[in-house]
Every structure is written in structure tokens, then in C-alpha cells.
Amino acid sequence: MYTIGQVSKATGLPVSTLRYYDKEGLFPHLERKGYVRKFSDTELEEVKIIECLKRSGLAIKDIRQFFQWVSEGSSTYEKRRELFARQKEVIQQKIESLEKTMAMLEFKCWYYDKALQDGNENELHQMLPDKLPEEIQKIYDKAHE
Amino acid sequence: MYTIGQVSKATGLPVSTLRYYDKEGLFPHLERKGYVRKFSDTELEEVKIIECLKRSGLAIKDIRQFFQWVSEGSSTYEKRRELFARQKEVIQQKIESLEKTMAMLEFKCWYYDKALQDGNENELHQMLPDKLPEEIQKIYDKAHE
DNA sequence: ATACAACCTAAAGCTAACTTTAAGTCAACG
DNA sequence: CGTTGACTTAAAGTTAGCTTTAGGTTGTAT
């Protein structure tokens, strides 16, 4: 059993955030000893799930919905599986988007490296948009897909 | 030369967002014909940079700072290169975080597949946290790093 | 006993990035 | 000539996800 302060240290989330999550119903089985919250390993694992679903772009109310399904038992296995399958696709798209973003940033790094060497952007302007060195052209094209 | 409506269609950004970006100073060279904005290819490329920097987590005021540097000329090449290098690291971390997220989602999909097959979570509970099938264990461990 | 730290609540406040609203300008078509 | 549609502004409104505030309770150490 952990206090909210211990959970805060263990997870890196501020105490105020943990209280907010509780108020939003994200710890449906959280116990109290008097007025004090008593967190268990269940809640520590729930924090991991919350952060996972948050990173995948789910809103708090949809995360609450998930925990609602959990407390409804085996009849909601399918719904839960579908939720995770959907979020897998969301994350896949996010990763692909970030890889394009990365290509743009790599291109820009190369661009300013060259601009610094040349002291100006004259040559660069002549190379754009399709006369870049082969490897750079690939990156540029990926960034501008 | 394009109207704001054409740029909206070309970029997928709402007209109101383009106006907002303009108000925030993200199109420092945008021209007007009377009171009407006239976008050029410069601004189309700027939209790509804005979206790239936004995806990397930069705030609007920092994007404006970048365009400020651009308009200051070659003396800011280094600052600009460093900005992009920094954001490359940010994106790299985001990708790694999403890959961990993906591992969690994959584990959860496997978990509920099995729960559906078994009709309950009894076997699953006995497997956790370190007696999972080899491949699944790897994924689980990655998700819980 | 008293002070201190760590817990609590309800409610108000904050922030970024838009979006909406209300009121107006202008060019072109029928 | 008048109405339609695409443009304009300034300012107010929206949203999620916290965070802060003000005031209160409890347990432990000196």
C-alpha cells in the first residue's frame, strides 16, 4: 500500500495530477483509510495504462470508459481488445508522421550545415527542389511526401 | 499567388487557422492586395515548416522566433541549425516513447485475445509478470521498461 | 502541547491553440 | 443594381488537462 506522495515519486506524476485522475474516475477501486487514499499495485499498473492510452491520444473520458469496461468483467473483453487494436493503428500513424517530421529536420540540419560552409544559400537555392545530392534528395522527398 | 481559401484547400488547414498563424507573425513576408492576403509558394513551404516544428512540440512563439532568424539573414544560420538539431532529439525521444507505447498496446491485444479464447483471465494472471510466452514477454518487458 | 509534514476538498484559475461571432469590404454575375 | 460568395477585422468563446488556492484534518516528532 502506498500514499499518494509515494505514487507521485514512483510515477513522476504530480500529486495534483493523481488526485485529478482519481476525481475523473480513473482509479475505480482505489481504497481509503479514513479520508486518505491508499494506492496499491493495481493503481500503479493503472497509471501505466493511463499514460499509454494518453500517449495514444485518448481523452480522459475514454480512458474512464475503458476502466468501466474492466469493472464490467469478461463480457467486455472484445470491446477492450478493439480499443487497443484501434489505438495501435493511431500510434502507427503517429510514428509514421514523426518519421516524416524527422526527415524534414534532418534535411534542415544538412541545409544549414551547407549554408554555414558556403556563407550563403545561393547554391542551395539552385539545388532545390530536385537537384540535391542523392541521399539528401531522398530525405527531402520523404519530408515533402 | 493564392487566396487564403486556396491555401486552406491545399494544406488542409482551416482558413481561421491560417489567419491565426498570420496574426501570430508566422508569415512575415505575406503580401496584401488591398486588404486581401496573397499567399505565394514561400508561404506554402512555410506552412510545411510550421507543421514540422509544431509536430516536434515547438510553441507558436518559438516558431515565430525561427522566422525572425530567417529574416535576419546569414548571421543566424548557426542558431537555426541548432534549433533543428535540438528538435531532432526531441522527435527521436518521441518516437522511442511511442514505440514503448506500441509495445504496451500489442501486449494488451495479445492479452485480450487470450482472455477471449479462455473466457477468463485466470491463466493470464498466473503468467504475469514474468511467465509469459517468450515473444510476448519481450513485448511486455519493453512496455514496462 | 505544539509544530510540522503530508494528507484532504471544492472551486477557481491557467494556458495554448484555435474557433466562433458580429460586423463590414469588395468583385463579379445575372 | 443588387445579391452572392469569398474575403476582412477585433474580440469573445472554447477546450482539455491540469494547477493553484484557501481552508481544513491527521499522525508523528520534539
Side-chain angles (χ1 to χ4, degrees):
Chain A
M1 288 292 176
Y2 317 103
T3 68
I4 200 168
Q6 289 169 325
V7 175
S8 171
K9 272 185 193 161
T11 62
L13 292 175
V15 167
S16 61
T17 303
L18 293 168
R19 290 208 186 101
Y20 168 70
Y21 286 170
D22 182 29
K23 208 175 77 180
E24 291 296 312
L26 303 193
F27 302 125
H29 306 297
L30 184 61
E31 291 183 17
R32 301 251 181 166
K33 203 172 178 175
Y35 71 115
V36 178
R37 290 175 185 85
K38 287 292 158 187
F39 292 77
S40 71
D41 290 322
T42 306
E43 279 79 34
L44 284 187
E45 182 62 21
E46 279 176 3
V47 167
K48 284 197 188 301
I49 297 171
I50 290 166
E51 300 217 281
C52 167
L53 291 175
K54 259 174 55 72
R55 277 194 301 272
S56 82
L58 227 56
I60 297 244
K61 67 170 166 41
D62 298 316
I63 300 176
R64 177 172 48 221
Q65 170 72 274
F66 168 74
F67 287 120
Q68 177 60 37
W69 287 338
V70 171
S71 71
E72 284 168 24
S74 61
S75 63
T76 60
Y77 285 161
E78 189 119 28
K79 281 176 180 171
R80 294 186 245 166
R81 186 185 58 174
E82 272 159 25
L83 171 67
F84 285 113
R86 240 186 349 265
Q87 294 317 111
K88 250 178 73 176
E89 283 179 26
V90 170
I91 288 291
Q92 192 50 50
Q93 286 201 356
K94 288 202 185 206
I95 289 174
E96 277 159 28
S97 165
L98 288 188
E99 277 165 357
K100 267 183 63 179
T101 304
M102 190 59 139
M104 177 70 105
L105 294 170
E106 276 168 359
F107 170 71
K108 286 292 184 177
C109 282
W110 172 85
Y111 182 100
Y112 285 114
D113 268 345
K114 181 156 174 53
L116 270 164
Q117 280 172 32
D118 296 359
N120 60 64
E121 290 156 83
N122 300 347
E123 268 191 55
L124 285 162
H125 286 321
Q126 284 174 3
M127 289 179 173
L128 283 169
D130 52 14
K131 294 177 192 67
L132 295 160
E134 191 176 349
E135 284 309 300
I136 303 302
Q137 188 72 52
K138 278 187 202 162
I139 293 172
Y140 180 86
D141 291 342
K142 176 166 185 179
H144 287 77
E145 262 164 23
Chain B
M1 289 290 174
Y2 319 101
T3 67
I4 200 166
Q6 289 169 325
V7 175
S8 171
K9 273 185 191 159
T11 62
L13 292 175
V15 167
S16 61
T17 302
L18 293 168
R19 291 208 184 99
Y20 169 70
Y21 286 170
D22 182 27
K23 209 176 75 180
E24 292 296 313
L26 303 193
F27 302 125
H29 307 297
L30 184 62
E31 292 183 17
R32 301 251 181 166
K33 205 172 179 176
Y35 70 116
V36 178
R37 290 176 185 84
K38 286 293 160 186
F39 292 77
S40 72
D41 291 322
T42 305
E43 280 79 34
L44 284 188
E45 182 63 19
E46 281 177 1
V47 168
K48 284 197 190 300
I49 297 171
I50 291 166
E51 300 217 281
C52 166
L53 291 176
K54 259 174 53 71
R55 276 194 300 273
S56 81
L58 228 57
I60 297 246
K61 66 171 168 41
D62 298 316
I63 300 175
R64 176 174 49 223
Q65 170 72 274
F66 168 75
F67 287 119
Q68 178 60 35
W69 286 340
V70 171
S71 72
E72 284 169 22
S74 60
S75 63
T76 60
Y77 286 160
E78 189 118 29
K79 281 177 182 172
R80 294 187 245 166
R81 187 186 54 174
E82 272 159 25
L83 172 68
F84 286 113
R86 234 180 0 258
Q87 294 318 110
K88 250 177 72 175
E89 283 178 27
V90 171
I91 289 291
Q92 192 51 51
Q93 287 201 354
K94 287 200 188 210
I95 289 174
E96 278 160 29
S97 164
L98 288 188
E99 276 165 358
K100 266 183 62 178
T101 304
M102 190 58 137
M104 177 70 106
L105 295 170
E106 275 167 0
F107 170 71
K108 286 294 186 176
C109 283
W110 172 84
Y111 182 99
Y112 285 113
D113 268 345
K114 180 154 173 57
L116 270 165
Q117 279 172 32
D118 296 357
N120 59 62
E121 289 157 83
N122 300 347
E123 267 192 56
L124 285 163
H125 286 322
Q126 284 173 2
M127 288 177 173
L128 281 169
D130 54 13
K131 295 176 190 68
L132 296 159
E134 191 176 351
E135 283 310 299
I136 302 302
Q137 187 73 53
K138 278 187 203 164
I139 294 172
Y140 179 86
D141 290 342
K142 177 167 184 177
H144 287 77
E145 262 166 22

